[in-house]
Amino acid sequence: MPSKKAGFAFEKSLSDLETLVEKMESGDLTLEQSLAAFERGIGLTRECQKALDEAEQKVHILVEKNGQLESRPFESNVDE
């Protein structure tokens, strides 16, 4: 069984970010708690954006053919 790479967990960070936003929107945090939550949220946002950028680069590499990028529409299997 392949082992998972230790490190950044995108889904966990996104969930943590959503929780922080909910807490801040509730209005129940003190100013200091709000600032700490905001700072943590900025860090999570940057980590998530970096992971998305890296994933995008991997996709470009995988679809590159004969030295040229082949653009293809995303095909979703989700019924609308």
Side-chain angles (χ1 to χ4, degrees):
M1 180 197 282
S3 64
K4 288 188 176 183
K5 182 180 174 184
F8 184 70
F10 181 82
E11 291 81 7
K12 170 89 171 78
S13 292
L14 192 57
S15 176
D16 290 350
L17 184 57
E18 290 172 351
T19 301
L20 281 173
V21 170
E22 289 171 6
K23 285 181 183 178
M24 291 177 71
E25 286 179 341
S26 74
D28 294 333
L29 299 178
T30 65
L31 178 59
E32 292 80 16
Q33 291 170 326
S34 294
L35 288 172
F38 181 77
E39 185 176 359
R40 176 69 180 134
I42 293 296
L44 288 169
T45 300
R46 288 180 179 154
E47 290 173 359
C48 288
Q49 187 60 53
K50 180 180 175 187
L52 289 172
D53 290 343
E54 289 173 359
E56 182 180 19
Q57 288 175 352
K58 288 179 185 178
V59 168
H60 282 293
I61 290 168
L62 291 172
V63 298
E64 189 174 313
K65 193 173 188 178
N66 297 328
Q68 295 184 352
L69 188 61
E70 222 177 74
S71 295
R72 297 182 205 163
F74 177 74
E75 296 177 23
S76 175
N77 293 330
V78 177
D79 294 328
E80 293 184 38

